[in-house]
Amino acid sequence: MRAISSISFSGQLEDKIEAAAACGFEAIEIFREDIIGFDGPPDEIGRFARDAGIAVLSLQSLRDYEGLSGAARTEALARAEKFLDLAARIGAEMLILCANTRPESHAEGALEDLRLLADMAAARGLKVGYEALASSRHIPTVAAAHAAVQAVGRKNFGLVIGTVHLFASASGSLEDALATLREIEPQKLFLVHLADTPTTRIDPALIAASFRLFPGQGTLPVAALYSQLLVQGYDGPMSIESFNDQIRSLPAARIAEDAMRAFHLLEETHTRTARPRADLRGPGLVEFTAQGGDVDDFTSLFNALGFVETHENGPVSLWSQGAITLALNTTTKGLAHSIYLVQGASVSGVGLVVEDMPLMLGRIGLFHGEAVELAEPYGFARLRGPGGSVLFLQPGRYAPGPEFHVTGAAPAQGLLTHIDHVAQALQPNLFLSGLLFYRAAFDLRAHELRDVLDPHGTVHSRTLVNDSAAFRLSLNASFGAGTTTQRFLGKSGFAPFHHIALASDDIFGLAAKLDPQDVLAIPPNYYEDLALRFDLAPDFIARLREGNLMYDRDEGGSYLQLYTRAINGFFFEVVERRGYTGMGAANAPVRMLAQLREIEAEEALHLL
Amino acid sequence: MRAISSISFSGQLEDKIEAAAACGFEAIEIFREDIIGFDGPPDEIGRFARDAGIAVLSLQSLRDYEGLSGAARTEALARAEKFLDLAARIGAEMLILCANTRPESHAEGALEDLRLLADMAAARGLKVGYEALASSRHIPTVAAAHAAVQAVGRKNFGLVIGTVHLFASASGSLEDALATLREIEPQKLFLVHLADTPTTRIDPALIAASFRLFPGQGTLPVAALYSQLLVQGYDGPMSIESFNDQIRSLPAARIAEDAMRAFHLLEETHTRTARPRADLRGPGLVEFTAQGGDVDDFTSLFNALGFVETHENGPVSLWSQGAITLALNTTTKGLAHSIYLVQGASVSGVGLVVEDMPLMLGRIGLFHGEAVELAEPYGFARLRGPGGSVLFLQPGRYAPGPEFHVTGAAPAQGLLTHIDHVAQALQPNLFLSGLLFYRAAFDLRAHELRDVLDPHGTVHSRTLVNDSAAFRLSLNASFGAGTTTQRFLGKSGFAPFHHIALASDDIFGLAAKLDPQDVLAIPPNYYEDLALRFDLAPDFIARLREGNLMYDRDEGGSYLQLYTRAINGFFFEVVERRGYTGMGAANAPVRMLAQLREIEAEEALHLL
């Protein structure tokens, strides 16, 4: 049973219930604090949820109950009665009890108190779910809570576990976490809370308080626990309990969609364990939308890079070189033009070559609540990605239909061979959501978060790749208003493609042919610095400098990069990989610095 | 010697050097990466700095140098030569060497390599500063680096320590950190890096990478280390090396000011250790700026709360009750009106009653680069605080001069007695800067960061208090655009006062007199929830509900609160403390929820 906790959402309880129901959740857990904002007495919550088509799974959470003595125990018992009454009133089937964290609580009386609570709950037809807390003296671990549940020995008293806590108590070891799971009798397990964390290098209590993500957005192998639970025969509720400022700032409907997507990703990962399969083969057609002077700006840059116009179909022209096809769309109708109106000259669609199209289309319909449409005039399926960005799904390399007439022949010996990677800039609150979208929809792997120092702040970057590494996507977001990423977003909408990297097997040759006006000028001191970082021959450095090329190296080999001038913030990168596997992150701050100078020079001109 | 590292700034090296020089720093450390963006050959950096009036202290940093063998050692030696050449070219007196973190480095050869580097440096007239790194196998601690420096035994080879690393290697224990310091011979210590951290509950490497704050902005007792160093007779350079996205998003001039303020705070804390003294006695006059219909809105709210107009002087009227004086300023000239034009009807100044005015005025001039002006018509000194907010400095309770004519008598038996606390909302990138301003200027203590759950995101909150707890200020910031805090800021500038809490000794009496229209309506389920949280008599809860009062309790006693309706986002809070020492943070989410409903209802009306 797929459930979600109301704490995963921001906003009003009514909106949370409706959003969860609309996205197909079968049950919702309700945080006590959320009842305060409900517009009606608590007794109406159960009916409201039923009307929306969702069950109330639990009331979260009774705390500091068991193992007290004297007046404190009397008070705790009275409080427990009130919580059980409230759970019954809101139509929940279960009350969550968190292990007592008060220092004065003692293990001796705890068992009797837990039995008492189970019996009080049974009298109301309710279950009690018991959850360990790292800060509890007596029940800090899942194993301790499991032992207590067994000792209590009541049918309506069971265990609640959470993935973040489970990994934390296993010191982040998957083997230990799985071993703990295997010890648990399935019928004693009432509920599993699913969440992820961005890093395991933070104090567990701090993560629990502030940094919980949806499964798939962080670094924990939540999918392995999910699989193990199914293998063990667990068929009780699993509930997404996430908590994070970045997530909470999104509307309830988006949060519910992302949470359901996280479930689908877990399920897919589980069913695929036996047969790994890459869903994408690589990037495909890239479409640009432009009007007026920007059209010439793009075509002159395409020409400079060695692209040749091969086809035309009304307002759409195709430009080819190697395995790369670019489309320049000057239409004044439809989605491409709408994108132009919103964000000016820009990438209006990126193609993804899909391995098994019928499977992909079936999955997208069933999976994410996303719909595909037909992308004219290419005949592709079109899908809207993060922030409304456009993705084309192609069954293979794009071959223009008869409605395109031939205007030229692709160059036989172009210096560019294929698309190396694509970079998308996201508004910061869409970063986690976008990451989950790409992981779930296309089964991409996410590398660890990397922070790149822009001159005016930090740009957070994560690279997503498919299994064959033929498709590489870099997602970038930044909170600083002055960073190049955020400045680009400021004029280009919510999630535009920021640059496309084209692979070359002769970047020096290309650099020699390019007009310096078309290339981003690299600060001369970069080449001084390069001599400190690497043991390079002076004349090699001189050649790099002459071509405004950048250089990096890793265990696999070396990497050469150049950047074109920007058109409305968008730019091409040209790369030559000589065994290197990274994305040139070490050079990104210098590129941002150089671009910022151009932006500021341009802005200064506008002020004149 | 007060220094700062170029990594503490964002932007261009030239701006960093000039900003540091303008704020009185004597030296700057230069990060290698910053040289890339310098507009000229590295050789010109030293002269550029000298012309700006600041020395180049060091080149940061040679890494992975010592303890290698074979070709790697040859390469490291060649690299070291290049780094020393660069240090000499930029006019630095010292090269910073970070302990080798490569797993293949070995302790055996390291000593010889360090001596070699010292001699290579000596040949150029340079010093080498050696810094331990937690991730280094051989030199993970300050003690290990100190031992190495002693073993090297060269006059120009000394130790570099950093406060964050020092606390981390002492497991956060101040005693252990001080003990480590005491072992160090002052003449072997070449440089101290000063920084703070927001919490000690994060992995040290992660803090070092992303979360370093200015001293005074976080939770480490940096001032105690600073004092100990002076007591030991250390008179070498101390350099602020901070690193944080929130700080980096500020302009260079603001960063330099804040860093210098951090130095002044350290120095003041050091000189005061012998004679603690509170600088503020409490809050003073609160001035509101208003025009047109807002004037009546304020006066009717003042009247409803029991204030009486006592004085008038042209456009300024004074309103009194108990120890509270409010000024309503309807001027169309000067600063108060400028604030009206920028942010509409709002608080245009908050008075602070200063214990020793000559001392305070002397300090402000000398201390922060801030200037005071005369605040007409009150005759106070006026100081601009975070984001340009206005603070009046009063020598005691405000007594209007003869230019004010009497219009009425303050109520003999008012229900409000004094100002309990003041809340200011800050744009998120000003949060740390504002915190440091209040700490440094008024010697306030800062409580730990607290996160309050607004329905649409998290509001970060820190409470600042003076020693007598008579002055309490709550600073709030939020990244979520939909939070009540951020919505208020959206229409009210950078750092407006969001609410003023007034103390009452009969809040039930006041609630009974107030028109329900003037009071924020609390959701009925709040009172259901209260019964779960506390063991309160049903008729007491009924009285709370009737008056729209909120309730909280801590070890000290209980707390009653009510909120007035908002005027342009500003509102009053009325509190009755019955021994309670907190700020009612547990109720803040409910208050935000209730206010959000009012805001949304109002916005819906505007859309009609």
Side-chain angles (χ1 to χ4, degrees):
Chain A
M1 184 206 273
R2 288 173 181 168
I4 188 167
S5 165
S6 72
I7 201 170
S8 301
F9 296 91
S10 65
Q12 180 89 3
L13 183 58
E14 286 88 331
D15 298 338
K16 301 179 181 196
I17 291 173
E18 284 174 343
C23 279
F25 284 95
E26 295 163 71
I28 186 165
E29 300 189 84
I30 293 186
F31 245 69
R32 210 199 77 219
E33 289 84 342
D34 269 321
I35 297 173
I36 297 174
F38 183 75
D39 205 9
D43 317 70
E44 288 175 12
I45 292 174
R47 203 184 55 215
F48 183 92
R50 259 196 316 283
D51 289 351
I54 191 169
V56 176
L57 177 60
S58 79
L59 171 66
Q60 293 179 286
S61 303
L62 177 60
R63 288 167 190 275
D64 297 335
Y65 162 75
E66 76 282 19
L68 300 172
S69 49
R73 180 165 185 263
T74 312
E75 186 274 329
L77 287 170
R79 198 156 37 84
E81 293 271 11
K82 290 182 196 165
F83 269 78
L84 287 167
D85 285 344
L86 182 61
R89 286 173 70 190
I90 66 170
E93 62 177 76
M94 173 159 52
L95 172 66
I96 308 294
L97 171 67
C98 292
N100 198 333
T101 59
R102 285 206 217 162
E104 72 269 27
S105 71
H106 45 86
E108 297 77 48
L111 216 58
E112 195 197 325
D113 293 341
L114 297 178
R115 285 201 189 107
L116 214 54
L117 184 68
D119 295 342
M120 280 153 56
R124 292 165 175 87
L126 293 172
K127 297 196 281 186
V128 175
Y130 192 42
E131 186 167 23
L133 286 185
S135 49
S136 168
R137 263 173 62 201
H138 310 299
I139 310 288
T141 62
V142 169
H146 186 227
V149 164
Q150 287 173 312
V152 165
R154 293 287 196 273
K155 263 187 90 165
N156 72 328
F157 191 87
L159 187 63
V160 176
I161 63 173
T163 51
V164 171
H165 176 243
L166 191 61
F167 279 110
S169 23
S171 307
S173 149
L174 176 59
E175 288 66 36
D176 292 358
L178 290 174
T180 306
L181 265 197
R182 276 189 218 101
E183 295 298 313
I184 299 172
E185 303 166 59
Q187 71 277 18
K188 287 290 181 203
L189 184 56
F190 281 9
L191 174 60
V192 179
H193 281 146
L194 301 174
D196 204 340
T197 62
T199 166
T200 50
R201 289 159 61 196
I202 300 184
D203 176 275
L206 201 65
I207 286 185
S210 318
F211 291 110
R212 276 194 270 177
L213 308 177
F214 291 139
Q217 290 180 334
T219 57
L220 294 183
V222 181
L225 296 192
Y226 179 89
S227 278
Q228 172 65 28
L229 283 163
L230 296 190
V231 167
Q232 274 178 247
Y234 177 69
D235 64 352
M238 305 220 204
S239 175
I240 292 203
E241 192 191 33
S242 149
F243 190 64
N244 181 293
D245 222 19
Q246 235 174 310
I247 295 176
R248 279 177 59 90
S249 70
L250 297 171
R254 155 71 47 199
I255 292 173
E257 267 175 38
D258 283 354
M260 186 48 84
R261 189 166 288 148
F263 261 118
H264 284 297
L265 177 59
L266 288 172
E267 184 59 30
E268 284 243 322
T269 311
H270 170 62
T271 52
R272 273 171 192 220
T273 315
R275 46 174 186 101
R277 196 193 65 240
D279 284 274
L280 295 184
R281 278 211 221 114
L285 180 79
V286 177
E287 183 194 62
F288 296 83
T289 180
Q291 295 290 323
D294 296 325
V295 176
D296 298 334
D297 222 5
F298 274 121
T299 55
S300 81
L301 190 57
F302 293 170
N303 275 318
L305 288 167
F307 287 93
V308 170
E309 199 203 294
T310 57
H311 294 80
E312 204 177 283
N313 176 6
V316 181
S317 59
L318 301 180
W319 299 72
S320 273
Q321 180 171 195
I324 314 163
T325 307
L326 310 178
L328 185 59
N329 194 339
T330 62
T331 177
T332 52
K333 284 184 282 192
L335 186 58
H337 190 56
S338 299
I339 290 172
Y340 177 83
L341 294 175
V342 172
Q343 59 190 49
S346 54
V347 174
S348 48
V350 165
L352 309 174
V353 179
V354 171
E355 195 165 282
D356 185 336
M357 186 64 77
L359 192 96
M360 173 67 78
L361 292 177
R363 225 169 100 206
I364 281 173
L366 163 148
F367 196 52
H368 306 292
E370 309 274 357
V372 295
E373 310 153 309
L374 188 68
E376 289 295 5
Y378 316 110
F380 299 148
R382 182 174 72 197
L383 175 70
R384 305 300 294 268
S389 54
V390 176
L391 303 167
F392 304 127
L393 304 178
Q394 335 177 186
R397 183 166 179 194
Y398 175 51
E403 66 280 15
F404 279 88
H405 65 268
V406 174
T407 56
Q413 299 249 312
L415 297 175
L416 298 175
T417 55
H418 60 280
I419 293 175
D420 185 87
H421 64 269
V422 172
Q424 186 167 25
L426 294 172
Q427 293 288 0
N429 64 351
L430 288 178
F431 188 64
L432 289 167
S433 179
L435 178 74
L436 186 60
F437 171 84
Y438 282 112
R439 286 204 58 190
F442 305 117
D443 195 33
L444 302 176
R445 318 273 161 257
H447 294 178
E448 269 232 19
L449 183 71
R450 182 183 259 281
D451 286 347
V452 178
L453 289 187
D454 180 281
H456 290 309
T458 307
V459 176
H460 307 293
S461 177
R462 279 186 85 168
T463 302
L464 291 149
V465 293
N466 72 341
D467 283 343
S468 71
F471 183 79
R472 291 190 192 88
L473 174 73
S474 158
L475 286 186
N476 304 292
S478 160
F479 281 104
T483 61
T484 45
T485 301
Q486 202 56 33
R487 285 182 195 221
F488 175 59
L489 279 170
K491 57 181 172 188
S492 306
F494 292 105
F497 293 99
H498 197 182
H499 70 266
I500 308 269
L502 308 171
S504 174
D505 45 21
D506 180 11
I507 197 168
F508 281 108
L510 184 76
K513 284 174 55 179
L514 284 170
D515 183 331
Q517 296 271 17
D518 285 330
V519 179
L520 180 72
I522 303 301
N525 287 343
Y526 170 77
Y527 300 97
E528 300 260 1
D529 192 64
L530 212 49
L532 296 184
R533 287 167 61 208
F534 302 108
D535 190 22
L536 296 171
D539 65 326
F540 182 74
I541 293 184
R543 287 178 65 206
L544 293 174
R545 182 175 174 152
E546 200 179 335
N548 278 299
L549 298 181
M550 303 182 89
Y551 177 89
D552 197 19
R553 194 159 70 197
D554 65 11
E555 316 78 50
S558 63
Y559 190 55
L560 299 164
Q561 302 167 271
L562 74 76
Y563 297 94
T564 68
R565 66 182 166 89
I567 297 178
N568 193 31
F570 170 86
F571 57 95
F572 286 107
E573 180 180 357
V574 177
V575 306
E576 183 177 333
R577 285 182 189 273
R578 298 175 173 181
Y580 179 91
T581 57
M583 308 273 275
N587 290 325
V590 183
R591 186 256 298 166
M592 291 175 184
L593 175 79
Q595 289 179 324
L596 206 68
R597 287 187 182 179
E598 293 203 343
I599 293 169
E600 284 170 358
E602 193 186 317
E603 282 173 1
L605 272 179
H606 289 168
L607 290 176
L608 288 179
Chain B
M1 185 206 269
R2 289 173 180 169
I4 188 166
S5 165
S6 72
I7 202 172
S8 302
F9 295 91
S10 63
Q12 179 91 1
L13 183 58
E14 286 88 331
D15 299 338
K16 300 180 182 198
I17 291 172
E18 284 175 341
C23 281
F25 284 95
E26 295 162 73
I28 186 165
E29 300 189 83
I30 293 186
F31 244 70
R32 209 199 77 220
E33 289 84 342
D34 269 322
I35 297 172
I36 297 173
F38 183 75
D39 205 6
D43 316 70
E44 288 175 12
I45 292 175
R47 203 185 54 216
F48 184 92
R50 259 196 315 283
D51 289 351
I54 190 168
V56 176
L57 176 62
S58 79
L59 172 66
Q60 292 181 289
S61 303
L62 176 60
R63 291 167 188 275
D64 298 334
Y65 162 75
E66 75 282 20
L68 300 172
S69 48
R73 181 164 183 262
T74 312
E75 185 274 327
L77 287 170
R79 197 155 38 85
E81 294 271 11
K82 291 182 195 165
F83 269 77
L84 287 166
D85 285 342
L86 182 62
R89 288 173 70 190
I90 66 170
E93 61 176 79
M94 173 161 51
L95 172 66
I96 307 295
L97 171 67
C98 292
N100 198 334
T101 60
R102 285 206 217 160
E104 72 269 25
S105 71
H106 45 86
E108 297 74 50
L111 217 56
E112 195 197 325
D113 294 339
L114 296 179
R115 285 202 189 106
L116 214 53
L117 184 68
D119 295 342
M120 282 152 57
R124 293 164 174 89
L126 292 173
K127 297 195 282 184
V128 175
Y130 191 41
E131 186 167 25
L133 285 185
S135 49
S136 167
R137 261 173 65 201
H138 308 300
I139 310 288
T141 62
V142 169
H146 185 226
V149 164
Q150 286 174 313
V152 166
R154 294 288 195 272
K155 262 186 93 167
N156 72 328
F157 191 87
L159 187 63
V160 176
I161 62 173
T163 52
V164 170
H165 177 243
L166 191 60
F167 278 110
S169 25
S171 308
S173 150
L174 176 59
E175 287 67 36
D176 292 358
L178 290 173
T180 305
L181 267 197
R182 277 190 218 101
E183 296 298 315
I184 300 173
E185 300 167 64
Q187 73 275 19
K188 287 289 180 203
L189 184 55
F190 280 7
L191 174 60
V192 179
H193 281 147
L194 301 173
D196 203 342
T197 63
T199 166
T200 50
R201 287 160 60 195
I202 299 183
D203 176 274
L206 200 64
I207 286 185
S210 318
F211 291 109
R212 276 194 270 177
L213 308 178
F214 292 140
Q217 289 180 335
T219 57
L220 293 183
V222 181
L225 297 191
Y226 179 90
S227 278
Q228 173 64 29
L229 284 163
L230 296 192
V231 167
Q232 275 178 245
Y234 177 70
D235 63 354
M238 304 219 204
S239 175
I240 292 201
E241 192 192 33
S242 149
F243 190 65
N244 180 294
D245 221 20
Q246 236 174 310
I247 294 175
R248 278 178 60 89
S249 70
L250 297 171
R254 155 71 48 199
I255 292 173
E257 267 175 38
D258 283 354
M260 187 48 84
R261 190 167 287 147
F263 262 118
H264 285 296
L265 177 59
L266 288 171
E267 185 59 29
E268 282 244 325
T269 310
H270 170 63
T271 52
R272 274 170 193 223
T273 316
R275 50 176 182 98
R277 195 193 67 240
D279 284 274
L280 295 184
R281 279 212 221 112
L285 180 78
V286 177
E287 183 193 65
F288 296 83
T289 180
Q291 296 290 325
D294 295 325
V295 177
D296 299 335
D297 222 5
F298 274 121
T299 56
S300 82
L301 190 56
F302 293 172
N303 275 318
L305 288 167
F307 287 92
V308 170
E309 198 204 294
T310 57
H311 295 79
E312 205 178 283
N313 175 6
V316 181
S317 60
L318 301 178
W319 298 72
S320 274
Q321 181 172 193
I324 313 162
T325 307
L326 311 178
L328 186 59
N329 194 340
T330 62
T331 178
T332 52
K333 284 185 282 196
L335 185 59
H337 190 56
S338 299
I339 291 173
Y340 177 84
L341 293 175
V342 172
Q343 59 191 49
S346 55
V347 173
S348 48
V350 165
L352 309 173
V353 180
V354 170
E355 196 164 282
D356 185 334
M357 187 63 79
L359 191 95
M360 173 67 78
L361 291 178
R363 224 170 100 206
I364 281 174
L366 164 148
F367 195 52
H368 305 293
E370 308 276 356
V372 295
E373 310 154 306
L374 188 68
E376 291 292 7
Y378 316 111
F380 299 148
R382 183 174 72 197
L383 174 70
R384 305 299 295 269
S389 54
V390 176
L391 303 168
F392 304 127
L393 305 177
Q394 338 177 183
R397 185 168 176 192
Y398 175 51
E403 67 281 13
F404 279 89
H405 66 267
V406 175
T407 56
Q413 299 250 312
L415 297 175
L416 298 175
T417 55
H418 60 280
I419 292 175
D420 185 88
H421 64 269
V422 171
Q424 186 168 23
L426 294 172
Q427 293 289 0
N429 63 351
L430 289 178
F431 189 64
L432 289 167
S433 178
L435 179 74
L436 187 59
F437 170 85
Y438 283 112
R439 286 203 58 188
F442 305 117
D443 195 33
L444 301 176
R445 316 274 161 258
H447 294 179
E448 269 232 18
L449 184 70
R450 183 184 258 279
D451 286 346
V452 179
L453 289 186
D454 181 280
H456 291 308
T458 306
V459 177
H460 306 295
S461 178
R462 280 187 85 169
T463 302
L464 291 148
V465 292
N466 71 341
D467 283 343
S468 70
F471 183 78
R472 289 190 193 88
L473 174 73
S474 158
L475 287 186
N476 303 291
S478 160
F479 282 103
T483 61
T484 46
T485 301
Q486 202 55 32
R487 285 183 194 222
F488 174 59
L489 280 168
K491 58 180 172 189
S492 306
F494 292 103
F497 295 97
H498 198 182
H499 71 266
I500 307 270
L502 308 171
S504 173
D505 45 20
D506 180 11
I507 198 170
F508 280 108
L510 183 78
K513 282 173 58 180
L514 284 170
D515 183 332
Q517 297 270 16
D518 284 330
V519 180
L520 180 72
I522 303 302
N525 287 343
Y526 170 76
Y527 300 98
E528 300 259 3
D529 192 65
L530 212 48
L532 296 184
R533 289 168 59 207
F534 302 108
D535 189 25
L536 296 170
D539 66 327
F540 182 74
I541 292 183
R543 286 178 66 204
L544 292 174
R545 180 175 175 152
E546 202 179 332
N548 279 298
L549 299 181
M550 303 183 89
Y551 178 89
D552 197 19
R553 195 160 69 196
D554 65 10
E555 317 76 49
S558 63
Y559 190 56
L560 299 165
Q561 302 167 272
L562 74 76
Y563 297 94
T564 68
R565 65 183 167 87
I567 297 177
N568 193 31
F570 170 86
F571 57 95
F572 286 107
E573 180 181 359
V574 177
V575 306
E576 183 176 335
R577 285 183 189 273
R578 297 174 173 181
Y580 179 91
T581 57
M583 308 273 275
N587 290 324
V590 183
R591 186 257 296 166
M592 292 174 182
L593 176 79
Q595 288 179 327
L596 207 68
R597 288 189 181 178
E598 292 202 345
I599 294 168
E600 283 169 357
E602 195 187 315
E603 283 173 0
L605 271 178
H606 290 167
L607 290 177
L608 287 180

